[in-house]
Amino acid sequence: MNDSSWGAPQGAGYWGAPEMGAAPAGPAYDVRGAQQTRPMPIVPDVPDAGRDADDRDVRNRDAARVSGPLFRDEMPQEPMPTPLPTPPPPKKHAGRDLRAAIGVALGLGAVVAGSLFIVKAVFVGVVVLAVVVGLWELTSRLKERKGINAPLVPLAVGGAAMVVAGYVRDAEGAWAAMALTAIAVLVWRMTQPPEGYLKDVTAGVFAVFYVPFLATFVSMMLTADDGPWRVLTFLLLTVVADTGAYAVGWRFGTHKLAPRISPGKTREGLLGAIGFAMAAGALCMQFLIDGGSWWQGLLLGLAVAVSATLGDLGESMIKRDLGIKDMGTLLPGHGGIMDRLDSLLPSAPVVWLLLVLFVGSG
């Protein structure tokens, strides 16, 4: 073992040379070691106002970053508003002035009932007036919307003659008057240029059949001994069928009957028309028609409900082709005369025929 392996190194902390054997003079002092190991003086903290302000600013910015938006362009979100209650679904409505419609219906009913049971000829006059006005509405719409000039004068004169002939001469008179009216339409149109002749006379012959000829069956019903009651039965069943279809369809209708023709009509409404009309038919045949029976009324009501619905769809098809909602505006809440005759006209021959089969023509 050499000497450097234990004890202090030679010359460290001694005054003089080591070979002289000088004793240590005191604590060892090494300039280089003193510079490395001298303790740092402890200086008390002195408050610095400027630095404290900077620290507060930093803390405020940190707090703002935590509680504020995450991005510079992000605005603070507003509190979610309290959701409003869901409004109830809108109630169904008829789409027309219901008060005006009821008032007009009551007025027409009073005129019909008064003329029907006082003097039969007056009621025939009411039918003639309705036919002439209906022809005027139909020909006017054809001219406005399609440029079809169906001659109104021979149509109106011939239509009135058909209704009167049906009352005076029964079916034979009605057929003869219809044929003469069709010929009059062909001749009358010859006084104008030939362009459009075919479509004009075709529309005229259609109008002859659609309005006055079908209305003739009403005057033919009137010729029987109980004619006023037959006509009243016909009117009641048609009105009841329309009312039942409206009431049931408005309340329960969900399945469309003919959406491309009349979107408002439903299968449930048709069932309502059948049910109401059959009940009314049983009552009318039992208590109003001489020799009638309730089961005959059930069949009569069923037939009227179907014919009235088909008639309504038929005129809806015409109006859809013409691009109009109503044929006229004479009846507030109803439209025109033709808008009221749409279900009556095709039902008239049905009622006339079934009454003749059930109880005869007398």
Side-chain angles (χ1 to χ4, degrees), residues 18-53:
E19 64 271 9
M20 293 177 65
Y29 183 81
D30 189 349
V31 177
R32 185 179 60 187
Q35 291 177 348
Q36 294 177 353
T37 61
R38 183 172 53 189
M40 294 295 294
I42 300 174
V43 181
D45 293 336
V46 178
D48 189 343
R51 187 175 62 189
D52 289 347

Side-chain angles (χ1 to χ4, degrees), residues 135 138-139 142 148-160 162 176-194 196-213:
L135 286 170
L138 179 60
T139 56
L142 288 175
I148 299 175
N149 296 308
L152 177 60
V153 174
L155 287 174
V157 174
M162 291 168 60
M178 179 181 178
L180 293 175
T181 303
I183 294 173
V185 169
L186 297 175
V187 175
W188 189 279
R189 180 58 180 80
M190 290 180 184
T191 61
Q192 301 176 11
Y197 178 82
L198 183 59
K199 67 176 183 180
D200 292 345
V201 297
T202 302
V205 174
F206 163 74
V208 168
F209 171 80
Y210 183 44
V211 184
F213 177 72

Side-chain angles (χ1 to χ4, degrees), residues 94-98 100-102 104-105 108 133-134 136-138 141 315 319 324-342:
R96 296 182 183 270
D97 189 344
L98 190 58
I102 294 175
V104 170
L108 291 176
V133 175
W136 169 72
E137 290 179 346
L138 179 60
R141 302 296 86 77
E315 188 176 355
K319 291 188 289 187
I324 57 177
K325 181 180 179 182
D326 295 319
M327 282 290 188
T329 58
L330 291 178
L331 304 177
H334 293 269
I337 293 293
M338 284 300 299
D339 296 301
R340 292 299 87 201
L341 297 179
D342 54 0

Side-chain angles (χ1 to χ4, degrees), residues 231-246:
V231 174
L232 182 61
T233 298
F234 152 70
L235 295 175
L236 285 177
L237 292 185
T238 308
V239 172
V240 167
D242 286 343
T243 304
Y246 171 78

